[in-house]
Each structure stands twice: as structure tokens, then as C-alpha cells.
Amino acid sequence: MAISQIISLFLLHLLLPLASISLSQSSHQLICEVGTGNGGSIGGTSPLPASLSKLLIKGGTVVNAHRQERADVYVEDGIIVAVKPNIKVGDEVTVLDATGRYVMPGGIDPHTHLDAEFMGTVAVDDFFSGQAAALAGGTTMHIDFVHPVNGSLMSGFEAYEKKASKSCMDYGFHMVIRHWDESVSKEMEIMVKEKGIKSFKFFMAYKGTFMVDDAVLLRGMKRCKSLGALAMVHAENGDAVFEGQKRMIERGITGPEGHALSRPPMLEAEATGRAIRLASFVNTPLYVVHVMSIDAMEEIAKARKTGQKVIGEPVVSGLVLDDSKLWDPDFITAAKYVMSPPIRESGHNKALQAALSTGVLQLVGTDHCTFNSSQKAFGIDDFRKIPNGVNGIEERMHLVWDTMVESGQISVTDFVRITSTECARIFNIYPRKGAILVGSDADIIIFNPNSSFEINPRSHHSRTNTNVYEGRKGKGKVEVTISRGRIVWKDDELKVAPGSGKYIPMPPFGFLFDGIEKIDAKLVSSFKAPVHRFKSDV
């Protein structure tokens, strides 16, 4: 390592505590009801009102995925009990004036990694700080990924239950499958029938750690189908990526740009196409996480055209960024953009936006997995050691609005669909979540389309000291976030309590499995087999 690099790292370690202090002095105060040890800071302003049993949101435009209407929304004990114009209430009800604003379901982020152990370190956002950031950005539920512990799904689930004990908003779990044997098959059934997990993720990348081969993928898909669970894939050809990484190192390309160069779009497309074909062979729905390239998107489009049930999830970084920063001469700047699949060159983002606007892709996640500058610096001499991951859980709703609605690519109702409702439908928790309807949980945001936002790592609520969207400005701002009837974000103040969040079980099957048996039956009838042959003497 060069002397200049050593000095830079030394200064970085000195400066990180100062960065943490500056976060705690942010103008966006975090008021924690139960101590200060779980992240954020104690604000110097008066606390927001405590838990509210009765709440009226008056004068706004209520937006659901299917329609928008002028109406009031009345909430009791965390549940929406009325949606209609001119609701009259007594003095004991807290009233929020939403005149000139949209009243929408809180966002649901289908793809996060909080408190995740990865590449020899742990993500800096846990289930308190990450969720606090989410609430400040208008997201009221997320679904995180549970990894097995010592090969056991149950041990992994129990470990994540402990991690999530500090939650301050509602959450669900996906489960990662990393190997296959009979015990995994049995535990998958327990996860689905007893623990409320209806989705299992298979990594086709990260050779030597998370990656599974096609045999495991096939067995896992077949088991998912039998349980009514959704098979999910991280689609990159791990063997080819491994070879690409070696090729970059041999050519002396050791910086963050080597990460993108070692895993080009064709490798994402190959794995996406292979997973789609295997899912078709099994006849089970497939969910492709973090679609980052035109190449992978086109594989999904082709499959959906034939009627195959494939869900494509772009993430906000892929929609709004390009890879230019990976070539920044400052390592720390470049390294913060390293994620997998990588952020692509300009043009892919616009194509993904178009695919989202036309329904080729269905919903937007974040893949929020944050590491600070000192952690990213693990790979200062070898991009393969840079922990993969970027932020987004706080920024997603604002960036999607500014990128997709303000540009005229989608409508306000479409915005609700791709940030909330579609996720609730896919994971079978609609209309409890993802809707402003009578009987739905009161997870609500009040959104001002005429206000503006600016993203700054000194005022965000994540514990990371960097932000890949730093400096971005736009229109549309979440002014109020309500989590199960409780006002948790208002007037740029966040009031959250560790342990107040709830685990949301997700039932199996759902609309994606409609008609699966008929397709199976049609396939069997097409075999024209077995053929009954006469045996002849030879």
C-alpha cells in the first residue's frame, strides 16, 4: 500500500467519529422514546404527540393504486375505519390538515439487508436505525433477508428475531437458501406454515459463499411451488464473475471500476434467462431481485410476453444512477457505489424507468445494505474486498416520485402501485398493507407534491457517513409519516420507539399461483406419453 493511501486511511479513521457527531447534530432530529443507545440522537425540540388512538386526516386527496378521490381518513387504534368526505369528529380526535396534499399508503420496501453480516463485516444500519431512516422517507414496512445459521433455517430465523427486537416499524422476512438437503426441505415447510415466510432467495452469484448451483436451484424451486412460496433469485453467473474478477486483477485493475468491469450486463442476463427457463420447467412463479440492466430486463420482458409469471424488481440506485462515479479518482467516493449487480453505464437507467412505466417491471426496492467509508476501504487495494451495498431506504419514495412522476412517466396512482400496493399483493398482505381502505392498517403518508427535497449525508438518518444520492434535489416531499396510527414523522422531526415495530407474517400462495395446476395439467396432456408398444420377439 502506498504511503499516501496509508495516510488517507489513517485520517479517515480519525474523521469517522466526527462524521457521527455531525449526524447527531442534524437539523432532522431523532427523538427516541426509549433511551439513546439504538441509534440516532436525542432532539432538542419538544416531543411529538404520543401514540394516538383516534386520528383524522382531513381535506386531502386519497390515492390508492386503483383510484384517487377527495376524502378524509379516520383512524382508530391503528386501523383505518372510514374513508369518505366531510367526516365529523369530536374534540378527543387529533386532526391533521392535508389540504393540497396527497394521502397515500406508506411505502413498502421489498428488498433490504439490515444488520447484515457480509464480506467479513456487518452493515451499519440495524433494525432501529434503518427503520428510522425508512420512516423519515415515507416507508412504513420493509422485507428483510434472513440467512441460515450453521445451515439451519430455524436458527437463522431465531437470530433475526433477536436482531429485529429493536424494530420501530413493521417488517417481514424472506429466507435465503444456501445449500440443499432433506433438513432444508423440512425447515422450508416450517418457515412457510409456522413462521409466515412465503419467499426464498437463491444466489446465483458470490461463488464460494452464497452461490448455489442449478441442482439446488431446481430442487428449491420445486419445493417453493409445493409450499406456495415465491422463488427469488439474485441473477448473475457466479462462475463467470469469478473468472472476470481474476481477469481484472491480472490486468492490474484493482479499483472500484474493476467491480463493474468484472460482471458485465451479459452475465446478469445469462443468469436471469437461465432462472426464468428453470422456473418455466418447474412451472412456478419467479421473482428476480435488483434488475440492473437492459439485458436482464429484456429476458423478463420476453418471458412475460409468453404469459410466464416473472416479477422484475428494479432498485432505486439502478433507476437514477449511472456508473460514472466508479471511475472517480478518489477511492472513497468510488467505493461507496460498489454493489452487485453493479450500477450500469448511462442508458440502462432510462430503459429500466421505461420498463417500470409500461409494466414490464412491477415494483421498486432498494437493496439497502450500508457500509461506512472505513468498511469500504477494506478493498482499497483489491475491489473484491469492498463490501457490496448502497443506501436507499430513506430516499426511495422521494427519488421515485421525482424521477417517474415529475417526468410524466407514471401517474400518481402508479406511484402508489410500484412503491407499496404491488409489493403487498405479491407477498399476499394486501389490503392489510398497501392501501387506504377501511380495515387496512393505518400506515399512511401525507405527501406534498409542491415541496422539495435535497439529499445530504449530514442530515439523513442512516448511520452511514456517505450517501450515493448526495446533492440530489427534486420535487415532492413526505411531510407526515403515520405508522399503524402513530405519527412518527412530522415537521422534519422523527419520533420512534425501539421495539414498537411488529413482524408481519405473509401467507403462502396468492394471485401468482392462480392457474398453476391448469398449466401443469395442460403440459401433462401434451406429452402424448407413455406410448404403449407391442413387444416383438427379437
Side-chain angles (χ1 to χ4, degrees), residues 273-284:
R274 178 158 39 102
I276 285 170
R277 287 162 180 80
L278 293 177
S280 177
F281 177 71
V282 174
N283 185 28
T284 197

Side-chain angles (χ1 to χ4, degrees), residues 80-285:
I80 298 170
V81 296
V83 182
K84 61 183 180 180
N86 303 315
I87 297 175
K88 306 298 181 184
V89 294
D91 294 337
E92 75 282 4
V93 177
T94 298
V95 179
L96 292 174
D97 184 3
T99 303
R101 289 152 175 81
Y102 293 118
V103 180
M104 304 173 173
I108 306 174
D109 188 340
H111 189 155
T112 62
H113 300 277
L114 301 183
D115 207 358
E117 298 172 21
F118 185 50
M119 296 182 73
T121 189
V122 181
V124 296
D125 276 326
D126 60 17
F127 276 81
F128 181 75
S129 67
Q131 291 185 355
L135 291 168
T139 288
T140 53
M141 181 178 168
H142 71 109
I143 312 177
D144 213 87
F145 288 87
V146 174
H147 285 259
V149 172
N150 297 325
S152 167
L153 308 191
M154 182 60 75
S155 295
F157 184 86
E158 291 169 351
Y160 269 75
E161 277 187 314
K162 291 178 183 177
K163 290 183 179 189
S165 62
K166 61 182 73 172
S167 292
C168 57
M169 75 179 199
D170 291 355
Y171 62 95
F173 286 146
H174 311 290
M175 176 67 74
V176 174
I177 301 297
R178 295 174 60 172
H179 78 287
W180 192 260
D181 58 28
E182 192 55 36
S183 67
V184 170
S185 179
K186 290 178 180 177
E187 284 193 306
M188 283 178 70
E189 184 171 5
I190 294 170
M191 291 298 109
V192 172
K193 294 184 176 179
E194 299 178 20
K195 301 301 181 182
I197 287 177
K198 74 152 290 176
S199 42
F200 295 89
K201 182 179 180 181
F202 302 86
F203 283 88
M204 303 172 77
Y206 299 117
K207 183 179 176 68
T209 54
F210 299 157
M211 178 178 158
V212 300
D213 61 20
D214 286 356
V216 172
L217 186 54
L218 273 168
R219 291 187 180 99
M221 285 180 171
K222 185 177 178 182
R223 188 61 169 140
C224 283
K225 179 182 178 180
S226 70
L227 295 170
L230 189 54
M232 312 175 82
V233 289
H234 172 137
E236 289 181 286
N237 187 311
D239 288 315
V241 167
F242 184 76
E243 185 62 31
Q245 290 174 328
K246 288 197 300 181
R247 182 187 301 173
M248 292 303 114
I249 297 298
E250 288 167 359
R251 294 182 179 180
I253 302 172
T254 61
E257 69 280 6
H259 177 77
L261 293 170
S262 69
R263 49 209 314 147
M266 70 175 73
L267 302 188
E268 185 186 355
E270 186 282 328
T272 302
R274 178 158 39 102
I276 285 170
R277 287 162 180 80
L278 293 177
S280 177
F281 177 71
V282 174
N283 185 28
T284 197

Side-chain angles (χ1 to χ4, degrees), residues 181-410:
D181 58 28
E182 192 55 36
S183 67
V184 170
S185 179
K186 290 178 180 177
E187 284 193 306
M188 283 178 70
E189 184 171 5
I190 294 170
M191 291 298 109
V192 172
K193 294 184 176 179
E194 299 178 20
K195 301 301 181 182
I197 287 177
K198 74 152 290 176
S199 42
F200 295 89
K201 182 179 180 181
F202 302 86
F203 283 88
M204 303 172 77
Y206 299 117
K207 183 179 176 68
T209 54
F210 299 157
M211 178 178 158
V212 300
D213 61 20
D214 286 356
V216 172
L217 186 54
L218 273 168
R219 291 187 180 99
M221 285 180 171
K222 185 177 178 182
R223 188 61 169 140
C224 283
K225 179 182 178 180
S226 70
L227 295 170
L230 189 54
M232 312 175 82
V233 289
H234 172 137
E236 289 181 286
N237 187 311
D239 288 315
V241 167
F242 184 76
E243 185 62 31
Q245 290 174 328
K246 288 197 300 181
R247 182 187 301 173
M248 292 303 114
I249 297 298
E250 288 167 359
R251 294 182 179 180
I253 302 172
T254 61
E257 69 280 6
H259 177 77
L261 293 170
S262 69
R263 49 209 314 147
M266 70 175 73
L267 302 188
E268 185 186 355
E270 186 282 328
T272 302
R274 178 158 39 102
I276 285 170
R277 287 162 180 80
L278 293 177
S280 177
F281 177 71
V282 174
N283 185 28
T284 197
L286 179 69
Y287 185 115
V288 183
V289 303
H290 48 43
V291 179
M292 297 293 285
S293 66
I294 295 171
D295 311 55
M297 178 269 290
E298 288 177 343
E299 293 286 342
I300 293 168
K302 186 166 58 175
R304 288 178 62 84
K305 235 179 226 187
T306 69
Q308 189 175 344
K309 295 178 179 180
V310 181
I311 300 296
E313 170 210 270
V315 289
V316 68
S317 55
L319 290 172
V320 307
L321 300 175
D322 63 45
D323 69 349
S324 56
K325 290 291 188 180
L326 286 168
W327 273 260
D328 194 286
D330 176 63
F331 173 84
I332 293 303
T333 298
K336 72 181 180 181
Y337 292 90
V338 170
M339 64 175 293
S340 295
I343 297 165
R344 305 298 185 184
E345 65 182 348
S346 183
H348 288 271
N349 49 3
K350 297 293 186 183
L352 294 176
Q353 292 172 29
L356 189 60
S357 70
T358 55
V360 172
L361 303 175
Q362 287 72 49
L363 73 170
V364 183
T366 61
D367 197 9
H368 182 93
C369 188
T370 49
F371 301 98
N372 61 33
S373 296
S374 62
Q375 292 170 304
K376 291 282 189 175
F378 293 164
I380 197 165
D381 288 322
D382 185 344
F383 68 83
R384 296 172 297 181
K385 298 177 182 178
I386 301 172
N388 292 192
V390 301
N391 60 290
I393 201 168
E394 182 170 357
E395 298 81 9
R396 178 183 70 123
M397 299 288 280
H398 292 108
L399 289 172
V400 172
W401 179 275
D402 187 59
T403 303
M404 300 298 295
V405 182
E406 282 297 316
S407 66
Q409 294 186 80
I410 64 171

Side-chain angles (χ1 to χ4, degrees), residues 317-534:
S317 55
L319 290 172
V320 307
L321 300 175
D322 63 45
D323 69 349
S324 56
K325 290 291 188 180
L326 286 168
W327 273 260
D328 194 286
D330 176 63
F331 173 84
I332 293 303
T333 298
K336 72 181 180 181
Y337 292 90
V338 170
M339 64 175 293
S340 295
I343 297 165
R344 305 298 185 184
E345 65 182 348
S346 183
H348 288 271
N349 49 3
K350 297 293 186 183
L352 294 176
Q353 292 172 29
L356 189 60
S357 70
T358 55
V360 172
L361 303 175
Q362 287 72 49
L363 73 170
V364 183
T366 61
D367 197 9
H368 182 93
C369 188
T370 49
F371 301 98
N372 61 33
S373 296
S374 62
Q375 292 170 304
K376 291 282 189 175
F378 293 164
I380 197 165
D381 288 322
D382 185 344
F383 68 83
R384 296 172 297 181
K385 298 177 182 178
I386 301 172
N388 292 192
V390 301
N391 60 290
I393 201 168
E394 182 170 357
E395 298 81 9
R396 178 183 70 123
M397 299 288 280
H398 292 108
L399 289 172
V400 172
W401 179 275
D402 187 59
T403 303
M404 300 298 295
V405 182
E406 282 297 316
S407 66
Q409 294 186 80
I410 64 171
S411 67
V412 181
T413 53
D414 285 335
F415 174 79
V416 169
R417 176 177 55 81
I418 67 176
T419 61
S420 183
T421 307
E422 194 65 14
C423 184
R425 291 183 68 242
I426 288 167
F427 295 101
N428 217 10
I429 52 174
Y430 179 86
R432 177 182 180 181
K433 302 290 187 183
I436 306 289
L437 297 172
V438 173
S440 298
D441 287 354
D443 292 343
I444 302 168
I445 61 173
I446 299 176
F447 189 90
N448 187 344
N450 299 312
S451 189
S452 61
F453 68 87
E454 181 175 357
I455 297 171
N456 191 317
R458 290 178 295 280
S459 59
H460 70 199
H461 295 84
S462 168
R463 284 180 178 157
T464 185
N465 66 325
T466 66
N467 192 308
V468 294
Y469 311 104
E470 181 175 2
R472 189 175 180 106
K473 301 176 183 179
K475 281 195 70 176
K477 190 174 187 299
V478 176
E479 293 186 335
V480 179
T481 304
I482 298 162
S483 176
R484 280 187 289 106
R486 182 188 186 85
I487 300 170
V488 292
W489 172 255
K490 186 174 182 288
D491 299 326
D492 286 348
E493 290 182 357
L494 183 63
K495 185 180 183 184
V496 289
S500 60
K502 288 186 178 180
Y503 175 65
I504 306 298
M506 291 174 282
F509 295 100
F511 78 97
L512 287 171
F513 286 84
D514 292 347
I516 289 288
E517 290 116 343
K518 290 181 179 178
I519 296 172
D520 280 340
K522 185 177 180 181
L523 178 65
V524 170
S525 68
S526 72
F527 288 163
K528 299 180 180 178
V531 176
H532 299 287
R533 293 181 172 86
F534 295 105

